[in-house]
Amino acid sequence: QHQHQHRQRHASAGDEGEEYDELDDKYRIRHNRRYGTTAASAQAMQASGAQLMNIVSRMLRRYVTAAQQMLAGFADRTAKRQATAGTLLSAEPFTQAALDCLESEQKTKFEPGREEHEGKLTALWERLQPGEDFERISKNWSHVGFQGKDPITDLRGQGMLGLRNMVYFAERHHDRALDFLTRNHTFPYALAAINISAFLLALLKQNHSTVGERLFGGVESGRDALDLFDQLFSLVFIEFEEFHRAAVAEFIRQGGHPDLAVMQFNAIRKEYFDELGKMVADDAFTDIFVRKCRPSGTGSRERRNTYPADNGQPLPSRPAPVQVGQLVDFS
């Protein structure tokens, strides 16, 4: 429109047309500078805005993805906790109470100076090292399978439950316990006992609806539940010693140095525990072990302590290889 007005002025100007052409050129330059620069700036701003929106969009997608992953992880952990809690909450009431009692004993730490705790430790020493004066801290604890001078260090993982199991076995099967220590020098008595105690408790908790209820069904007393676990521990402990002794004999027969036999403990323990796990899956564990503790049947309210006393007869010095489940004769 401005240019059209200029052209009209050119036509009426006559001789002054050259002057108006010069003015028209100056006006065009000023117009291009003003409006042309503004258009370029608008295009640049539009491009910058599009780039900024792209960046913001990518950041939002990342935040949304991270939030979704976090929520999914939280939901997964929550589901696992609920499933773990449901494992025990779904147990039969008597079984749940028994497992709670065992777990409480396991979590009870040895308290130096507490008469009850010190009494159990003293009883273990006197049973396994007769004739030796009791020493709370002593290198002689290694003679019964502890790893250091202070036995409490090894008991931390299994608490008073592990100590209780060892005292029970040493008192109820004293001769057999001494036989383990004197004849099988490669057998770490205390370490093996603590490992078996921990394994059996975990096994009962994981299989509460089968093994757990078969062992504890109808048991109303916490003391009875602990006694039944002591019996189960004793059965498995005796068989593990047989299994360990046969495995060490096989190791030496195949050329292993006798001095290295003690180093085979972890491998032998793992093999034995794997076999016990298979027995649980096949329900053989209940048939072989649990029924010796509870022959009266699941759900019976009558406690029957049928575990026979140790007859004190020595085990054969050269045992044949023992298969898991071939228990020694207690009669």
Side-chain angles (χ1 to χ4, degrees), residues 221-265:
S221 166
R223 180 180 295 275
D224 287 348
L226 288 168
D227 286 345
L228 285 170
F229 187 77
D230 285 334
Q231 294 175 37
L232 179 64
F233 164 83
S234 298
L235 286 166
V236 176
F237 190 44
I238 288 173
E239 191 188 60
F240 176 72
E241 193 278 336
E242 290 259 328
F243 185 89
H244 179 275
R245 186 151 42 91
V248 167
E250 181 64 16
F251 169 77
I252 296 174
R253 189 187 69 80
Q254 293 183 1
H257 196 283
D259 291 342
L260 299 179
V262 68
M263 300 177 63
Q264 305 305 308
F265 172 74

Side-chain angles (χ1 to χ4, degrees), residues 162-218:
L163 179 57
R164 174 195 171 91
N165 293 152
M166 284 189 285
V167 172
Y168 177 94
F169 187 83
E171 290 179 345
R172 297 294 296 273
H173 307 281
H174 184 223
D175 291 340
R176 194 180 296 277
L178 292 180
D179 186 64
F180 285 0
L181 293 171
T182 57
R183 187 161 47 83
N184 192 348
H185 298 289
T186 65
F187 184 67
Y189 182 99
L191 186 61
I194 294 169
N195 274 266
I196 289 174
S197 177
F199 177 82
L200 288 177
L201 179 56
L203 183 146
L204 290 172
K205 291 168 65 176
Q206 292 170 4
N207 301 275
H208 63 87
S209 62
T210 53
V211 182
E213 291 191 8
R214 181 65 179 82
L215 181 64
F216 297 123

Side-chain angles (χ1 to χ4, degrees), residues 30-278:
R30 288 198 306 271
H31 181 277
N32 288 340
R33 285 177 179 174
R34 178 180 298 175
Y35 298 103
T37 302
T38 304
S41 298
Q43 291 177 355
M45 290 178 64
Q46 184 178 6
S48 298
Q51 185 177 8
L52 179 61
M53 289 298 296
N54 188 28
I55 294 174
V56 172
S57 178
R58 289 202 302 268
M59 292 178 64
L60 286 174
R61 284 198 298 269
R62 290 180 182 175
Y63 284 131
V64 169
T65 301
Q68 290 174 341
Q69 292 175 348
M70 182 179 68
L71 290 174
F74 177 77
D76 183 59
R77 291 191 296 271
T78 301
K80 288 181 179 179
R81 286 196 297 267
Q82 290 175 346
T84 303
T87 297
L88 288 182
L89 290 175
S90 62
E92 193 262 348
F94 294 119
T95 303
Q96 176 64 58
L99 293 175
D100 287 345
C101 179
L102 294 177
E103 192 170 19
S104 176
E105 192 77 359
Q106 180 193 43
K107 292 179 179 179
T108 301
K109 305 302 181 184
F110 183 92
E111 297 182 18
R114 183 172 174 178
E115 184 177 356
E116 178 186 0
H117 292 186
E118 294 285 0
K120 286 186 178 298
L121 197 61
T122 302
L124 184 65
W125 173 286
E126 292 175 347
R127 287 292 182 175
L128 298 182
Q129 301 194 94
E132 296 286 338
D133 292 334
F134 174 75
E135 296 180 78
R136 172 66 178 78
I137 306 295
S138 171
K139 64 180 181 180
N140 288 341
W141 283 112
S142 63
H143 298 167
V144 295
F146 288 99
Q147 299 180 89
K149 295 181 179 180
D150 187 355
I152 305 311
T153 302
D154 291 339
L155 287 171
R156 287 175 182 171
Q158 196 60 7
M160 290 302 295
L161 183 61
L163 179 57
R164 174 195 171 91
N165 293 152
M166 284 189 285
V167 172
Y168 177 94
F169 187 83
E171 290 179 345
R172 297 294 296 273
H173 307 281
H174 184 223
D175 291 340
R176 194 180 296 277
L178 292 180
D179 186 64
F180 285 0
L181 293 171
T182 57
R183 187 161 47 83
N184 192 348
H185 298 289
T186 65
F187 184 67
Y189 182 99
L191 186 61
I194 294 169
N195 274 266
I196 289 174
S197 177
F199 177 82
L200 288 177
L201 179 56
L203 183 146
L204 290 172
K205 291 168 65 176
Q206 292 170 4
N207 301 275
H208 63 87
S209 62
T210 53
V211 182
E213 291 191 8
R214 181 65 179 82
L215 181 64
F216 297 123
V219 175
E220 299 178 349
S221 166
R223 180 180 295 275
D224 287 348
L226 288 168
D227 286 345
L228 285 170
F229 187 77
D230 285 334
Q231 294 175 37
L232 179 64
F233 164 83
S234 298
L235 286 166
V236 176
F237 190 44
I238 288 173
E239 191 188 60
F240 176 72
E241 193 278 336
E242 290 259 328
F243 185 89
H244 179 275
R245 186 151 42 91
V248 167
E250 181 64 16
F251 169 77
I252 296 174
R253 189 187 69 80
Q254 293 183 1
H257 196 283
D259 291 342
L260 299 179
V262 68
M263 300 177 63
Q264 305 305 308
F265 172 74
N266 285 333
I268 296 171
R269 177 198 60 183
K270 183 179 184 304
E271 181 182 358
Y272 183 75
F273 286 175
D274 288 345
E275 290 297 323
L276 288 184
K278 294 176 183 177

